[in-house]
Structures are given as structure tokens and as C-alpha cells.
Amino acid sequence: NAGVTQTPKFQVLKTGQSMTLQCAQDMNHEYMSWYRQDPGMGLRLIHYSVGAGITDQGEVPNGYNVSRSTTEDFPLRLLSAAPSQTSVYFCASSYRFWGNTEAFFGQGTRLTVV
Amino acid sequence: GIQVEQSPPDLILQEGANSTLRCNFSDSVNNLQWFHQNPWGQLINLFYIPSGTKQNGRLSATTVATERYSLLYISSSQTTDSGVYFCAVRGSNYQLIWGAGTKLIIKP
């Protein structure tokens, strides 16, 4: 049982490049989400999904795209990287989005855009 | 929306000391979690505690939902306890709403 697995752990991109951050969970969780954490701050929600085929925007969705084709995977795509997207990205999952909603986090991806 | 406030913002203690961290929230919630973010940036689940009291080793937490606060107790602090402690509650679109954190430094 690996929990929530994020790849890569570190990434450097040039402005304008695109990339996909991978997130997978093996706990059969319905709810998955992506957050970003900027220095000295709490986490802010980018996008979330309440089940396969269903996604929605969070607090800071601009510049990011997501899809949820399976229960296990929830990739985050950066369409055209900008220096403002330099941050640490966390993927999280919960068994449900109601009731017991304890969240489990991946190890994070530290992204630098130059 | 729900506001989450944590206190104190910073705490410096000697190894072996005890501490209490507080989390206040502005509205009723049915989900509250405490996390420890270690110096390497990893987020570690400490407690899922919408109400009541839980204990795990040297750590314990109490949430009084009717009074809209939660407390995290750390006893006999160790240097490995250093890092930032966050509380987070579930908001209206299922997102976690985070406090600003308490930065804890344990000196040997």
C-alpha cells in the first residue's frame, strides 16, 4: 500500500514549456486534489475531482489543467510554464468528499520555472 | 468563507519542553486535521479530529467543535519535532482551508 505517489520530486522548466505532474493513489479514494504551496504560506487548491470523469476548479486554477480518467490517477498539466508557477505542488486524496474526509498527501513536487 | 487562525506563529523551545498549539476556526466544521510539515517539506498526517480527544505517543489533540477551536499538545519535545504545524478544515467545495501554521524550533 503505497498511499499517494507523486512524480517527479523535483523539476526545472523553462518559461513556456509544458509538463505533467503525476499523482496516483492505491487506496480507492474518490476525492483527489492538487494544491500549491508558496513560501511561508498554507496550501491553496488548484483543481479537484470527486470521482472518475469529474473535475472542478479550485482557488487558483489558471494555467493548469487536470483530468481523471481512472479512480487511481489524477495528473496535473502545466500548459505553458511561467515563473509565477514556481512552487511546491502537493497531491491529496480522501476516501470520500463527505463524511470521513481525512486527507492524505503525496511527498510533493518542487517545481522551478526559469 | 471559513477563517482558520493558528497561534502562536513561532515557538522556540528546548528539548524536553512541552507545548500547546492552538487552532481557531470561524464556523462550524465537521472535519479538522493537524499536519506536521518537516524541514524537508513533507506533510505528515498527525490527527483527523473533528471533535473529541486523540492521543498518539507524545502528541495529543483536542477539538471542541461547539467552541470552534482545537489544541495540539506536544510533550517532551525532541529536535525531530521541529517544523511547521498546520491545522486545516474542510470548506464548502471540499477544499481544505489552512491556517498560516505554527513554526516550531526545538533546540538541543
Side-chain angles (χ1 to χ4, degrees):
Chain A
N1 190 336
V4 181
T5 303
Q6 282 184 241
T7 56
K9 287 190 173 58
F10 302 94
Q11 183 71 49
V12 178
L13 288 179
K14 294 183 179 179
T15 297
Q17 287 185 315
S18 62
M19 78 159 295
T20 299
L21 279 62
Q22 301 292 343
C23 176
Q25 52 88 13
D26 61 359
M27 298 176 281
N28 199 30
H29 283 178
E30 288 184 353
Y31 181 83
M32 296 184 73
S33 53
W34 277 101
Y35 291 84
R36 60 177 286 172
Q37 184 180 31
D38 298 310
M41 297 178 67
L43 279 67
R44 293 185 293 169
L45 182 66
I46 304 171
H47 284 285
Y48 65 96
S49 168
V50 299
I54 306 169
T55 64
D56 207 345
Q57 297 180 350
E59 181 183 357
V60 288
N62 292 340
Y64 307 95
N65 205 352
V66 292
S67 60
R68 183 105 178 261
S69 56
T70 66
T71 300
E72 294 78 19
D73 299 298
F74 191 45
L76 178 72
R77 281 180 282 278
L78 278 70
L79 308 173
S80 177
S84 61
Q85 294 178 303
T86 294
S87 189
V88 180
Y89 291 84
F90 289 95
C91 178
S93 74
S94 306
Y95 178 53
R96 292 197 183 101
F97 55 92
W98 53 273
N100 182 341
T101 59
E102 182 177 5
F104 296 86
F105 283 80
Q107 291 199 321
T109 297
R110 189 174 296 272
L111 175 68
T112 302
V113 182
V114 298
Chain B
I2 299 173
Q3 306 291 320
V4 180
E5 295 182 352
Q6 290 187 243
S7 60
D10 300 280
L11 193 55
I12 302 174
L13 299 171
Q14 289 295 132
E15 202 168 22
N18 302 328
S19 58
T20 301
L21 283 57
R22 187 176 180 103
C23 173
N24 292 333
F25 41 96
S26 62
D27 204 347
S28 58
V29 298
N30 55 13
N31 170 305
L32 188 143
Q33 286 187 251
W34 283 98
F35 297 91
H36 174 213
Q37 187 164 39
N38 64 22
W40 296 271
Q42 188 179 3
L43 277 169
I44 300 163
N45 284 33
L46 296 178
F47 295 101
Y48 172 75
I49 185 165
S51 63
T53 298
K54 290 186 177 179
Q55 181 156 7
N56 185 2
R58 297 180 296 104
L59 274 62
S60 64
T62 295
T63 297
V64 184
T66 53
E67 297 187 22
R68 300 180 186 170
Y69 73 89
S70 184
L71 301 174
L72 178 69
Y73 305 95
I74 305 173
S75 65
S76 304
S77 297
Q78 301 175 358
T79 55
T80 52
D81 294 330
S82 295
V84 182
Y85 289 80
F86 289 104
C87 71
V89 301
R90 189 71 69 172
S92 57
N93 66 346
Y94 322 122
Q95 71 174 326
L96 284 171
I97 300 170
W98 298 75
T102 292
K103 184 175 182 179
L104 178 63
I105 298 173
I106 304 298
K107 294 187 171 184

